[in-house]
Amino acid sequence: TAQKSVYDFNENSFISDYLLNIEDLGKLKDISKMKLKGKLDINGQISNKDNSFSANGNSNTLGGTFDFDLKNDKLNANLKNIDVQELSNMLDYSKIFDSKANFVLDYDLLVKKGDLTGKLINGHFLENNFTLLINQLTKGDLTKEVYESFDIDSKIDDRVLTSNLIMKSQNTQIISKDSVLDLKQNLIDAKIDTTIKDKTFVV
């Protein structure tokens, strides 16, 4: 819906506010190429002038905020102070980590390439197959570790993300370089270097 849309015939320009209500993100699968869950409302403005298209928008979602700016093919998006468990639920992924997080995306829609950086704050693992394996190896409980810092740096090539991540807590350090998340084939390939107190191993 829009409250004020203006088309100027002299300048051949269009500008409008908008409110986009998406009641079921799952119905956007053909567009997003991803299985999503939940709903989303976005407020913003669009304009088209001198063969240049731009749009911006913002939303309160996932326990935090989302905003974006699009200028022709260049997209910049920000997720601020969002809940990682709520994000996992929206992406229809298993919930393996609990934290607040900030993400910044710079993406070229034409060539389908970009960068995604993220910082998770004061997070901890939820019980899953990975933590059960680590707990057996170390005779400890990884879910009780609080990670003051968790940094992610990803390169996006179409639907493949190649990432580096570093996680640090008082007793552990987890590092993964050049891990691959392939959304098309629905697979993860990652080598995880793990240090827990005086034990070091690779998963």
Side-chain angles (χ1 to χ4, degrees):
T1 59
Q3 299 297 321
K4 186 178 180 181
S5 300
V6 177
Y7 186 82
D8 189 319
F9 287 91
N10 294 319
E11 295 186 352
N12 192 27
S13 65
F14 174 76
I15 184 169
S16 177
D17 65 337
Y18 72 89
L19 170 61
L20 175 63
N21 302 108
I22 306 171
E23 289 296 322
D24 183 1
L25 288 167
K27 293 182 178 180
L28 298 181
K29 186 175 182 180
D30 290 340
I31 299 172
S32 65
K33 306 300 181 184
M34 297 176 65
K35 185 178 179 180
L36 301 173
K37 296 169 61 178
K39 62 181 182 179
L40 188 65
D41 295 337
I42 303 176
N43 286 286
Q45 191 173 71
I46 58 175
S47 68
N48 192 26
K49 184 178 180 180
D50 299 328
N51 295 318
S52 178
F53 175 80
S54 65
N56 61 55
N58 60 79
S59 176
N60 294 320
T61 184
L62 303 174
T65 61
F66 163 70
D67 66 77
F68 75 89
D69 280 293
L70 174 65
K71 294 183 179 179
N72 295 318
D73 301 316
K74 310 297 184 184
L75 172 66
N76 172 261
N78 297 273
L79 286 165
K80 298 178 182 177
N81 203 37
I82 63 164
D83 187 290
V84 171
Q85 288 198 67
E86 290 191 31
L87 177 62
S88 299
N89 186 63
M90 177 181 281
L91 297 173
D92 200 27
Y93 289 162
S94 299
K95 296 178 182 179
I96 63 171
F97 203 76
D98 182 24
S99 176
K100 287 289 188 176
N102 300 309
F103 290 97
V104 177
L105 171 68
D106 289 298
Y107 188 71
D108 189 312
L109 298 173
L110 186 63
V111 298
K112 298 181 180 180
K113 295 179 183 292
D115 298 296
L116 175 68
T117 58
K119 190 173 189 66
L120 285 68
I121 305 163
N122 293 329
H124 68 91
F125 279 105
L126 303 172
E127 187 173 292
N128 58 74
N129 289 338
F130 174 70
T131 61
L132 291 174
L133 173 63
I134 299 301
N135 292 348
Q136 290 174 359
L137 292 172
T138 63
K139 307 302 180 183
D141 188 351
L142 194 61
T143 63
K144 293 182 179 180
E145 289 292 318
V146 176
Y147 291 87
E148 297 90 357
S149 64
F150 182 165
D151 296 297
I152 304 172
D153 185 6
S154 301
K155 298 292 183 183
I156 304 172
D157 187 356
D158 196 359
R159 300 190 66 204
V160 178
L161 282 74
T162 304
S163 305
N164 297 324
L165 68 86
I166 300 176
M167 304 172 60
K168 292 182 180 180
S169 71
Q170 183 175 354
N171 298 307
T172 70
Q173 177 175 278
I174 298 174
I175 297 175
S176 182
K177 294 183 178 180
D178 298 326
S179 63
V180 175
L181 170 62
D182 190 325
L183 297 173
K184 185 176 182 180
Q185 299 186 60
N186 196 28
L187 66 83
I188 294 174
D189 184 9
K191 185 180 80 170
I192 303 170
D193 296 300
T194 306
T195 300
I196 300 179
K197 294 183 178 179
D198 59 344
K199 296 181 175 66
T200 301
F201 49 90
V202 176
V203 177

